[in-house]
Amino acid sequence: MTTVADDRARALTRASADAAALAGAGGPACVTVRCHRRAAAAATRTGSGPVDLRRITDHTRQNTTAFALVPGADGGPYGVRHAAVDGYGTDAVREVVSRAVDGDRLGAPAGPDLPLAVPPAGERDAADLVEAILRRLPGVAGYEVIAEAHTVVEERLFVPARGLAVRETLRTAAVVVDVLGAGRRIADADAGWSGEVPEGLDSLAERVEAAVRRAGARPRTVAPRVQLLLVDGSAGAFLHEVCGHLLESTGHRPSLLAQDGGRPVAFDGLGVDDDPTRALSFGAHRYTMLGEPTRRRPLLTAGRLTGLLADTPDGPWRTEDARYAPQPRMSHLALAPAPAPTALDTALGETTAPVIRVHRLGFGSLDHRDGTVVLEVKDATYRDGTAEHRLEPFVVTAEARQLLLEVRALGCAATVRPWSAYCLATSGSLPVGATTPTLLTGVVTTHPHRRLAPPRAAVARTAPGPGA
């Protein structure tokens, strides 16, 4: 008589033997079996009226992917070999490996189809999350408040071509809150996390109420040239575009700073790491798509380039799901704060253009060909004496490498705030985050606001931050 443990051991042995066929070209390879469950809900409340709760979706999917790195000519940059099939058993592994190795069949199946993963249990109910945030928002009476949330729980089994198989369970959740007045969105805020639900919903409610107060300030036109004081975690979106994407580097699309290793490329106060192991950070994970343990990667040290997010065997390979081939992608950027507040105070006293307090950046993009970065400023204020003015959304366009060099100062540890978003790229939409202090830029040129992406759809808009 065989036990479940015996069946699992035989299944892993069979899967490992099949996965080994992926490494025939000499590069590292891995088969990943995924069981993924997603649930979403939305709730609306007008004034102090009742909550209208809607469960949007709750579904489970299983798929298996094969991923291998193939050395280029003369051992040059790696190419990516990728295939995917539905299913999560030993037959799915055999099928996906067959597709990945140029369609070569592996022969007849060696025994019955055995499952390699089980559908994950449910996570905290998305409906509970949206109801919880609405209960924490007494200060927005008179407005319509829409809260949306989704939860994702995913079990992954990594079967490397060489080495032992490893399992990982990923849990993520996100909440987005929109406040409408007369049918027009006047304020929004969001939060995302990985792992267990943090005690962060109270702070989200406080950010919503602060955004509503700012929306009531007298409007003012932004000056043509300003300096941005990025507060409330908005420096995370700035850093994501002008540093994170700039340092993602592949043989097909090398970073514009790929040849500057060890050289000063940024303000000498910038120390930036990418850390996918950071607890509760949106997008935290323990293994790359090659089944290798993730690790903290220094990118900038005192303004010098000390690392890239590169397509090497030990690179930070990520993908949204089986539809996309993995790519080296950032996870959570950590910017070290200044040891004391005096440097920022001094820099503010030496500014040469009006200082705009940016509470929230919207969509952003980086052109990898020339380093042009576009940032949408969604929520910003300007103080004129004792009066605070609200600024209508505007756009900043600059060259990313120059922006990094012209950062003027950082806030101390007391100003550090988290940021989270979904980032869109060729490997799909991935949860990313950052932990940053307040940041003061050099002088930038502003432009009239233009829409950088379509409005969020009712279901899809549960992504926080610039990815929303």
Side-chain angles (χ1 to χ4, degrees), residues 15 61 70 78 96 116 155 204 223 237 242 254 262 266 306 341 373 461:
R61 292 179 180 148
V70 182
Y78 286 96
V96 77
L116 287 161
E155 180 182 313
L204 175 59
V242 305
T306 51
V373 64
R461 73 186 194 185

Side-chain angles (χ1 to χ4, degrees), residues 245-295:
H245 278 310
L246 187 64
L247 298 183
E248 290 174 336
S249 187
T250 67
H252 175 69
R253 192 188 65 192
S255 165
L256 293 173
L257 296 176
Q259 305 304 314
D260 292 307
R263 299 176 184 171
V265 297
F267 168 63
D268 61 12
L270 288 184
V272 180
D273 296 341
D274 182 61
D275 187 8
T277 68
R278 189 181 182 97
L280 295 182
S281 63
F282 201 43
H285 57 289
R286 294 168 49 217
Y287 297 99
T288 74
M289 292 306 293
L290 282 170
E292 294 292 325
T294 56
R295 59 182 174 85

Side-chain angles (χ1 to χ4, degrees), residues 176-195:
V176 176
V177 179
D178 287 333
V179 180
L180 308 181
R184 173 177 172 269
R185 189 168 67 210
I186 64 169
D188 61 344
D190 54 63
W193 58 89
S194 294

Side-chain angles (χ1 to χ4, degrees), residues 123-396:
E123 191 56 4
R124 180 171 178 177
D125 189 19
D128 289 345
L129 287 174
V130 292
E131 286 188 303
I133 190 62
L134 286 184
R135 287 195 301 268
R136 288 167 165 83
L137 284 170
V140 291
Y143 297 102
E144 182 181 28
V145 182
I146 303 173
E148 300 184 10
H150 75 239
T151 59
V152 175
V153 58
E154 178 179 351
E155 180 182 313
R156 295 182 181 179
L157 170 67
F158 299 97
V159 187
R162 301 183 182 92
L164 298 177
V166 290
R167 293 183 185 273
E168 178 178 23
T169 300
L170 296 173
R171 296 178 174 87
T172 58
V175 179
V176 176
V177 179
D178 287 333
V179 180
L180 308 181
R184 173 177 172 269
R185 189 168 67 210
I186 64 169
D188 61 344
D190 54 63
W193 58 89
S194 294
E196 300 302 321
V197 176
E199 299 298 325
L201 294 183
D202 286 333
S203 64
L204 175 59
E206 291 169 1
R207 286 188 283 124
V208 173
E209 292 176 345
V212 171
R213 288 195 297 271
R214 289 193 297 272
R218 181 176 299 178
R220 178 168 177 156
T221 303
V222 67
R225 290 171 61 80
V226 299
Q227 288 181 248
L228 305 178
L229 183 65
L230 299 162
V231 302
D232 297 341
S234 62
F238 174 92
L239 200 68
H240 176 87
E241 296 295 344
V242 305
C243 179
H245 278 310
L246 187 64
L247 298 183
E248 290 174 336
S249 187
T250 67
H252 175 69
R253 192 188 65 192
S255 165
L256 293 173
L257 296 176
Q259 305 304 314
D260 292 307
R263 299 176 184 171
V265 297
F267 168 63
D268 61 12
L270 288 184
V272 180
D273 296 341
D274 182 61
D275 187 8
T277 68
R278 189 181 182 97
L280 295 182
S281 63
F282 201 43
H285 57 289
R286 294 168 49 217
Y287 297 99
T288 74
M289 292 306 293
L290 282 170
E292 294 292 325
T294 56
R295 59 182 174 85
R296 190 180 183 103
R297 298 172 186 272
L299 302 178
L300 299 178
T301 304
R304 293 180 178 271
L305 180 63
T306 51
L308 293 170
L309 300 163
D311 58 346
T312 56
D314 66 343
W317 296 97
R318 301 184 70 193
T319 184
E320 177 184 354
D321 56 38
R323 295 171 296 173
Y324 307 97
Q327 295 290 329
R329 301 278 296 277
M330 73 188 99
S331 297
H332 186 92
L333 298 179
L335 173 59
T342 52
L344 180 58
D345 293 342
T346 300
L348 287 170
E350 297 173 350
T351 53
T352 58
V355 175
I356 303 302
R357 292 179 64 88
V358 178
H359 302 274
R360 185 171 171 85
L361 291 174
F363 285 94
S365 66
L366 174 76
D367 189 327
H368 290 268
R369 296 168 298 181
D370 60 10
T372 298
V373 64
V374 180
L375 297 171
E376 177 194 31
V377 180
K378 291 181 65 177
D379 183 356
T381 56
Y382 173 71
R383 185 169 292 279
D384 183 7
T386 59
E388 183 176 64
H389 297 270
R390 167 179 55 85
L391 301 177
E392 292 295 330
F394 60 94
V395 170
V396 171

